Amino acid sequence: DSSSGSGPGVTNASPGGIWNGTDSISGLQTTGLVDEMGNFHFIRTDGAQYVGKAAVSVNSVSAAFEGYVPFGFAFPDGTTHGTGTLSGTVMERSSLNGNVQFTTDAGNVSSGTIALTFDSLYNSGSSLSRRLLS
């Protein structure tokens, strides 16, 4: 998609994909689904989930998101929810890297980086019958 303000003929990279990697704050593996419009849902191996929407301008990506832990669990400060931001770069169907800042509802701030790689499973068809026959 071309974006107004990016100039004529400039195409924004798509953030869409299945993304896998690690964030430096927790050190845990993270897997996420991002649709072509930038809506995302990431799940860490400890069950924490992060949802939001990413915006892309050429190869720059920014996002605001909310984070939740599973019922019965808490972030290290005892809270169960927080908000965050991400800013970085996306190379379509290749990599998504950025700086992350997360603030729990208690006001504790964590900063770090996230490095994600594209999973080609995203390019596969989504038909249930296709999956059953493969």
Side-chain angles (χ1 to χ4, degrees), residues 20-30 43-46 48 50 98 100 110-116:
N20 298 299
T22 305
D23 76 82
S24 70
I25 297 171
S26 70
L28 298 174
Q29 190 70 18
T30 302
I43 301 174
R44 242 178 20 197
T45 54
D46 66 354
Y50 301 91
V100 178
S110 302
S111 297
T113 59
I114 192 159
L116 305 168

Side-chain angles (χ1 to χ4, degrees), residues 10 14-15 29 31 34 38 42 51 99 104 132:
V10 175
S14 170
Q29 190 70 18
T31 298
V34 183
F42 281 84
V51 295
N99 296 309
T104 66
L132 294 175

Side-chain angles (χ1 to χ4, degrees), residues 23-26 40 42 44 46 48-52 63-70 74-87 98-114:
D23 76 82
S24 70
I25 297 171
S26 70
F40 63 84
F42 281 84
R44 242 178 20 197
D46 66 354
Q49 299 185 43
Y50 301 91
V51 295
F65 60 89
E66 294 192 52
Y68 306 89
V69 293
F75 289 118
D77 66 0
T79 61
T80 59
H81 173 264
T83 57
T85 58
L86 171 133
S87 62
N99 296 309
V100 178
Q101 184 168 342
F102 185 73
T103 305
T104 66
D105 286 349
N108 292 311
V109 179
S110 302
S111 297
T113 59
I114 192 159

Side-chain angles (χ1 to χ4, degrees), residues 2 7 11-12 24-25 30 33 35 38-40 47 51 55 59 64 74 77 90-92 110 116 120 127 133:
S2 288
T11 302
N12 293 333
S24 70
I25 297 171
T30 302
L33 299 172
D35 71 15
N39 299 298
F40 63 84
V51 295
N59 289 96
D77 66 0
V90 60
M91 303 307 287
E92 188 170 317
S110 302
L116 305 168
S120 63
S127 167
L133 296 173

Side-chain angles (χ1 to χ4, degrees), residues 1 11-17 19 36 56 58-60 89-97 116-119 122-123:
D1 293 339
T11 302
N12 293 333
S14 170
W19 299 95
E36 296 300 317
V56 177
V58 188
N59 289 96
S60 295
T89 59
V90 60
M91 303 307 287
E92 188 170 317
R93 309 295 192 258
S94 178
S95 64
L96 195 159
N97 299 295
L116 305 168
T117 56
F118 180 78
D119 186 327
Y122 184 75
N123 298 324

